[in-house]
Amino acid sequence: MGNSGLALIANLRDIDGGSVTAQFVVTTAAGVTVPVPQATTVSSGGTSTTVVRAADLPTGAYKWKVRARDEEGAYSAFTVGCAFNVDADPPMDPVTVTEEDTPDLPPQRVRTRVRLTFKNPATDLAGFCWDIGRPLSVSSTPCGGNRWIPLVNGATQATVDVDLALWPTHTLEVEAFDKAGNRTQTTDTVLRVYPASFIYPAGQTPLNPTRKDLLGDLNGDGFVDLLGPEADGGLRLYSGNGAGRVQMRLVGDAGWKDALIAHGGDFVGFTTPTGVPDGFEDVIARLSDNKLYVYPGNGLGTPLSEVRRELSPPPGLGSKGWGRLQQIIAPGDLDQRAADGFMKGNDLAAVECVDDACTGARLRIYSGRTKPDGSPDQTAPFDFKAPAYTGGATWKNYEILGIGDQNGDGVKDILARNKIDGNLYLYAGKIGADGKFGLAPRTTYATGGWRPADRPLIVSHGNAQGAVVNKTITDEGQVIPYKQFQPKAGDEQGDLWTTTPADPKRVVNYVDGAGKPATTTCPTGCLLFYPGGPTGLKQPQLVGASGWATSVTHLF
């Protein structure tokens, strides 16, 4: 054992009943007695404990034994002595950090993955503990997950892949643990980082600088991504590939059960609440505590819980506050509010119960607030006092989707699932003569088969089909390389994903990679991708063949 102290525990029993106390004796190998604090007194059948201080157990060999004393002062016999060893001396040298055995750590760009090598000359190492951007725990227990790098016997170094998500510097902390649990002093390594580069929307170039990721893109690769809470509270990121398929990884361990989530824009930065935000897509979430939070994104798909910020509800929601929310989405600049402080702001749309009993629900659009330089207003990201749009109280049985501009008029539209009749309805967005956003009368976008029992989960972040291409532009004789997202020709409108129920008997129709009709069954639920069009959906593609009714509870 290491220099953590020694907990001694004994289960005591007296045939006469009453209370009993353990008398622990600890000695060195030479027979010298070690101070042991008085153990607890317990009822017969209970567990008596005490803790020997680490300071009283220097490196060496020891024995311990215990006996019981009853209320009358009578003692039992001692147990057989048990031997143990203490290694209270941590490795003397600090950990060194290099990049793939290169002494220097050259600057890297944000969202670059670097391979670092940790070294320590001690020969009895158990592993390395590391983290980036936040201090290591002072606990004697090594950190968990991928922050703990175990070593085989005799090994003195290990490599780890580190994703850089903060500029201009990252501070990496690393410690080595020996097999006794002793740790080295913390090594702080400063990694120099260049600012992020962003993928440009179609039609934009570095001559119109962009300072944020594309709408719906959580990891900066140019493609729309999804978030899915697990039943046990974990959070999954489903990274899109520009063709409807997704790849999963866990980005949250706990706390996301029953959350309402939205992502669609950069609202805050995770380094400072007063400067220009970082350009990374953030996450808005109403958790099970009925509080609404904004989670800064790290540019790699992870919402940062440790620096989340709570958003206060409007007084009109009453004492239940954000508990009245049925749904939230972040559709980007939906209302096109042109007044100072709102130009090109990323909005928040919400379906809210009109009262605590939820006798009806309204659709509200809270405008995204911006500063004079056009960046998001971190101190107040949304205008909760004066909604840009408030629909009637008829939205209780609807689920809204930020489908994008389906009719090509330059104003984003809303797609809504009617949970009762099972239809999808398109509500075209319009800007009135007064400059205010509104919705045109609905048109039927898809008929039947869209009830939650038929398509449990449904989500859209606009157009999800396209490719990221490398391009160049010349400005005053300088050739500037950049990346641009190009929508798939003929599929520029918004698309959607939906799941099927877990039903081994239900036949699911789709089209295969060649566009030919096909069928399957989905005993544990499938994921379908529907390309969107101006007036309706195209035939679905099968992009997930199992687990979609059992792995996540929602898709956002």
Side-chain angles (χ1 to χ4, degrees):
M1 56 174 283
N3 59 352
S4 58
L6 174 66
L8 296 171
I9 303 171
N11 183 260
L12 308 178
R13 201 175 302 275
D14 184 359
I15 61 174
D16 299 325
S19 60
V20 282
T21 306
Q23 182 188 20
F24 294 98
V25 175
V26 179
T27 59
T28 66
V32 178
T33 301
V34 175
V36 178
Q38 173 78 30
T40 56
T41 298
V42 297
S43 299
S44 177
T47 300
S48 180
T49 63
T50 189
V51 176
V52 182
R53 298 188 311 151
D56 293 325
L57 293 170
T59 298
Y62 297 85
K63 289 184 178 181
W64 74 274
K65 59 185 179 180
V66 63
R67 64 179 179 178
R69 187 188 68 201
D70 64 15
E71 289 178 318
E72 288 76 31
Y75 288 90
S76 71
F78 274 108
T79 61
V80 176
C82 296
F84 65 96
N85 294 311
V86 173
D87 176 5
D89 302 317
M92 295 298 295
D93 297 295
V95 179
T96 59
V97 180
T98 58
E99 183 179 348
E100 294 186 303
D101 296 322
T102 300
D104 294 330
L105 293 170
Q108 302 284 352
R109 189 169 293 280
V110 160
R111 287 196 280 231
T112 297
R113 173 168 288 182
V114 296
R115 174 159 288 185
L116 302 179
T117 300
F118 302 155
K119 293 183 181 179
N120 187 278
T123 57
D124 63 340
L125 295 180
F128 296 99
C129 184
W130 70 279
D131 211 332
I132 191 165
R134 53 188 176 187
L136 294 174
S137 169
V138 297
S139 167
S140 61
T141 303
C143 47
N146 60 2
R147 296 297 188 259
W148 170 248
I149 311 299
L151 296 176
V152 299
N153 282 340
T156 59
Q157 70 178 55
T159 58
V160 61
D161 291 328
V162 176
D163 293 315
L164 304 177
L166 177 65
W167 72 89
T169 60
H170 255 318
T171 299
L172 180 140
E173 294 194 354
V174 60
E175 298 167 346
F177 280 76
D178 64 20
K179 293 179 180 178
N182 303 309
R183 65 169 72 195
T184 62
Q185 292 183 344
T186 302
T187 295
D188 289 337
T189 301
V190 176
L191 306 175
R192 294 166 292 165
V193 185
Y194 293 126
S197 60
F198 300 105
I199 294 171
Y200 286 80
Q204 292 190 22
T205 74
L207 300 184
N208 310 105
T210 184
R211 295 186 298 183
K212 61 183 179 180
D213 286 324
L214 300 180
L215 195 71
D217 179 14
L218 286 158
N219 59 10
D221 63 359
F223 304 124
V224 168
D225 306 315
L226 308 178
L227 290 172
E230 298 175 326
D232 63 359
L235 184 66
R236 296 183 177 191
L237 169 71
Y238 290 98
S239 302
N241 74 342
R245 295 192 174 274
V246 293
Q247 184 173 4
M248 186 277 290
R249 68 180 174 90
L250 194 67
V251 294
D253 295 329
W256 298 92
K257 183 178 181 181
D258 299 325
L260 298 180
I261 299 176
H263 66 95
D266 177 31
F267 306 109
V268 296
F270 64 87
T271 56
T272 170
T274 57
V276 176
D278 43 50
F280 301 149
E281 179 138 316
D282 303 319
V283 172
I284 308 294
R286 200 284 307 278
L287 301 187
S288 58
D289 61 4
N290 284 337
K291 294 181 179 180
L292 189 69
Y293 300 93
V294 55
Y295 290 77
N298 72 343
L300 300 167
T302 300
L304 300 174
S305 299
E306 60 270 24
V307 287
R308 71 182 185 185
R309 306 174 196 176
E310 184 179 348
L311 301 177
S312 299
L317 291 181
S319 59
K320 199 171 181 179
W322 295 121
R324 286 193 186 178
L325 288 180
Q326 287 192 313
Q327 188 191 355
I328 52 175
I329 64 169
D333 185 13
L334 180 62
D335 62 20
Q336 298 188 12
R337 197 165 168 181
D340 289 343
F342 300 99
M343 286 284 292
K344 298 183 179 180
N346 291 312
D347 306 330
L348 182 71
V351 177
E352 304 169 351
C353 295
V354 298
D355 52 33
D356 289 350
C358 205
T359 57
R362 59 190 165 224
L363 171 62
R364 275 186 167 173
I365 299 172
Y366 296 108
S367 299
R369 297 172 60 93
T370 55
K371 296 193 294 188
D373 64 0
S375 66
D377 185 342
Q378 296 196 71
T379 59
F382 307 108
D383 184 6
F384 288 134
K385 295 182 179 179
Y389 173 81
T390 298
T394 60
W395 294 89
K396 179 178 178 179
N397 294 315
Y398 285 84
E399 189 169 356
I400 59 170
L401 305 175
I403 192 72
D405 182 12
Q406 300 301 88
N407 57 15
D409 65 355
V411 183
K412 292 184 177 181
D413 310 316
I414 284 177
L415 190 66
R417 185 228 309 248
N418 187 304
K419 301 176 186 178
I420 305 301
D421 66 20
N423 292 338
L424 296 182
Y425 296 102
L426 184 67
Y427 293 81
K430 61 180 183 179
I431 304 298
D434 57 0
K436 293 183 178 181
F437 176 84
L439 294 176
R442 72 184 189 184
T443 58
T444 302
Y445 195 71
T447 304
W450 291 91
R451 292 184 179 91
D454 302 309
R455 294 288 185 263
L457 309 180
I458 183 172
V459 63
S460 175
H461 288 282
N463 177 35
Q465 298 181 86
V468 174
V469 297
N470 293 307
K471 305 188 77 172
T472 61
I473 192 169
T474 301
D475 182 33
E476 297 182 354
Q478 180 184 6
V479 177
I480 305 172
Y482 66 100
K483 294 180 182 292
Q484 185 185 79
F485 178 81
Q486 290 186 348
K488 180 182 177 182
D491 282 302
E492 296 85 358
Q493 287 81 23
D495 313 305
L496 65 85
W497 285 270
T498 186
T499 62
T500 67
D503 185 350
K505 297 181 180 179
R506 181 188 292 255
V507 176
V508 176
N509 298 293
Y510 66 98
V511 294
D512 62 18
K516 296 181 179 180
T519 62
T520 188
T521 57
C522 301
T524 58
C526 290
L527 180 67
L528 299 176
F529 178 72
Y530 283 82
T535 58
L537 296 171
K538 300 177 183 180
Q539 291 300 305
Q541 304 164 18
L542 181 67
V543 294
S546 64
W548 287 93
T550 56
S551 57
V552 293
T553 58
H554 295 84
L555 285 175
F556 299 105

